[in-house]
Amino acid sequence: MHSDKMEGAMRQKLDQIKEIMVKTKGIPKEKKQGKMMSGHNVAIVSALEDKDVQWLLREIHSVHFQEQVRNVNLINIMEMKEKNWEKKFSEYTFCIYVSKEHEWTQGTAAFQRVKSLSQRGKKNLVVVVDEVSNEKQTLTLEHHRDIRNYTKGFFIFSKTEKESQYQRMVNSQQPAPDNDARGSHVVSPPKVVIGIKHKVGIFSRSADRDFSWLKSLLTSEVKDHVLSVQSYLISNNGYQQLSEDLSHCTFGILYHTKNNGRVNITDVTDSLYDEELQLLSKTLGKKNTIVIIDDLEDASDQQKRIILHTQPMIADCANDLVLISYEDKTDNMGQSAKSKILNHFFSTSDERLKHPPVNSGYEHAASTPSRSIIGIFSRSEEEDYSWLKRLLTSEELGHKTVQCCNLSGNDNEALLKVAFKLQLGILYHSVKKGKIRLTDVRDSLYHEELEKLSTRLGKRKMIVVIDDLDESGDKMKQKILKKQPSLGSLAGDIFLFTEAEKKEVDRQSQGKHGNKMSKSARDKISNIMRLVT
C-alpha cells in the first residue's frame, strides 16, 4: 500500500507539470499529417550528467505527455556561457531545470541559474529537485520559497517515490534462473522505463497461430508498456504494404519459426527477410527492432553467435536476436521465454545485442567493443586529419587509440567490422578536397557510409568533423544542416573548424602553448572531450 501511495505521489507531480504545459503558450498550431497540432519544444536543462536526467526525459517523451510535447532535448548548462543562454533557449517554449539535493544545500548556484533563466525570457520554467530524502522535502521547500517568484512550479521527487515505482515494475515480472544444460545464467532485475507505451507490430511470414503465445505474453505481462499488439503478414512483393503497416507501430518484432524450415533470416541463400528487416530498422530505429527465432532445438548463446556470424545483417539492423526453444516456452510455466522477451520492454539499454565471450574463433561474433578506440572515417589521406589524430591521442584526451579507415573502397563488411570495436566514430571531411557534399546532395560522398555507421554505432556515438572552412560559427553549421539534414539525423553533432582553428588545436596538442587557443576552438574541443572521456 505504501508503495502504491508513493507511486501515486510521483504521478501526481508529473500530472501537475503536464497541467502547467497545457496552460502555457507553446508552438503555434500547425497542420501535420492531416491534423492540427500544437505543443511545446521542451528543454530539460541541468548541470548533472545525462544519465542522471534520463528518467525525466523518458517521462516527458512518454505517451502521457504526447499531446503537450512536440520535441524534447537535454541541455547541459555547464557547457554554456551564461551570455549565450538567451540565444540557445529561444527555440524552446518550455524549460525544466533538473537538479539534485546537494545543489540547493551547498550554495546558491542552482537558485542563480533558475533566476537567470527566468530573467532571460524563460517564463515557462519549472524546477525539479531529484532524489531528496523524504524528511528533507519540507525543509527544502521552506528554504527556497523565493524560487517560486521565478518559476511556474517547484517539484521535489524523493528517492522512495522512484524506488517504489521501480519495485512495482520488477514485481510484475519475476524471471526464474535459466539453468539450461548447455550453460546457465541468471536474468538480472531489469532496468525500468517509466511511462513509455509501445505499439508493437509482429512481422512474419508465419501464421498467427505460430506466435499466438507471443501475442498473449505481450498483452498480459507488459500491459503497462504495451499500448497495442498487432500482427502483420509479410508477403512477396508487399514492400509498400509493409511500409504502411510500419507507420502504425513504434516497436517491431521480426518473427520466424524453425518449424517452417531453415533459419534463413538474412544474408544466406533463399533468405526470407533481408529487405524487410532493413525497412523495420530504418523506420522504427534499431533500438526498437528485435528478431525472434522460435522452436529451436538449441537456443544457447553459442547458437546465437553462430547465427550472428553467418547472418550479420541481424546485428546491423536489430537491437537483439532472441532464440526460443520449445522448453523455453513450456518448462516452469515458460519463465525462460518470458524473461528473454519481456526484458526488452523494461530495459533502458540502447544496445541489447550482446556477444558473450567465446573460443570459437568467429571474429564477427566474438568481438567485444573496446571503450577507448576512436575511429576516423574519410576519403581523405591521413595527413589531412593528422591534427585530429594528434588531438585524440594527446594527454588531454586520455591518449585514446585511433583507428583510421579510408573510404575509397566499397568494403562495407570491413567498415562495419571496424565500427563494432569503437567507442566513437568520426566522419572527417576537408573542404580542400572539394565542396561540402557529404549527404543529401547530388554526388554526395558519404551518405551510405554515414547511414551504415550510424546504424552500427548509434547516432550519439557518431560525429562529423569538417575543417579548412572560411567560417565555422553557428550560422554556417545551421546552413549545412538545412541543406544536408541527414547529418543531423545520423550524427550526434557536427564540428566545424577553420584552417586557423585547426592550427591552434594542433599546436596545443603538440604542447606548443605560445599562442592562446581561441574560445571557439576551445569550446569545440571541450565538447569533443566530453564525448571521448
Side-chain angles (χ1 to χ4, degrees), residues 8 97 125 197 243 265 272 296 300 399 442 474:
Y97 182 80
L125 172 67
K197 284 198 172 187
S243 298
I265 309 297
L272 295 171
L296 291 163
S300 65
H399 299 294
R442 186 176 180 180
D474 285 339

Side-chain angles (χ1 to χ4, degrees), residues 10 115 134 171 221 232 258 345 360 365 402 443 459 512:
M10 182 175 180
K115 184 177 178 181
N134 288 345
N171 287 342
E221 300 287 342
Y232 300 96
K258 194 171 182 293
F345 295 90
S360 66
V402 175
D443 298 325
K459 175 181 174 179
K512 300 175 183 178

Side-chain angles (χ1 to χ4, degrees), residues 89 271 279 374:
F89 294 118
S271 57
L279 185 59
I374 311 298

Side-chain angles (χ1 to χ4, degrees), residues 488-502:
S489 60
L490 297 175
D493 205 349
I494 68 170
F495 296 91
L496 310 182
F497 292 87
T498 63
E499 188 171 4
E501 288 173 333
K502 181 178 73 173

Side-chain angles (χ1 to χ4, degrees), residues 10 16 28 153 166 169 275 307 384 400 433 439 452 484:
M10 182 175 180
Q16 289 172 351
Y166 170 84
M169 302 305 294
E275 293 183 355
I307 295 173
D384 294 329
K400 295 293 181 181
K433 296 297 181 181
T439 69
K452 288 181 180 296
Q484 302 181 45

Side-chain angles (χ1 to χ4, degrees), residues 80-140:
M80 300 169 55
K81 297 292 185 182
E82 188 173 331
K83 65 181 181 180
N84 298 327
W85 287 7
E86 189 166 353
K87 179 181 178 182
K88 176 66 177 177
F89 294 118
S90 62
E91 61 189 278
Y92 298 99
T93 58
F94 198 92
C95 281
I96 305 174
Y97 182 80
V98 189
S99 53
K100 289 199 175 182
E101 185 180 317
H102 65 83
E103 289 187 56
W104 299 89
T105 57
Q106 298 176 11
T108 61
F111 180 87
Q112 291 301 327
R113 290 188 192 113
V114 171
K115 184 177 178 181
S116 294
L117 280 169
S118 176
Q119 291 174 339
R120 290 177 183 273
K122 299 324 296 176
K123 302 302 181 184
N124 294 344
L125 172 67
V126 300
V127 174
V128 167
V129 187
D130 186 22
E131 294 190 356
V132 177
S133 51
N134 288 345
E135 61 272 16
K136 292 186 178 180
Q137 287 205 43
T138 303
L139 177 64
T140 304

Side-chain angles (χ1 to χ4, degrees), residues 434-451:
K435 295 180 180 179
I436 304 172
R437 47 189 177 90
L438 279 67
T439 69
D440 299 310
V441 294
R442 186 176 180 180
D443 298 325
S444 60
L445 294 170
Y446 296 106
H447 184 83
E448 183 179 347
E449 290 84 356
L450 183 57
E451 196 169 44

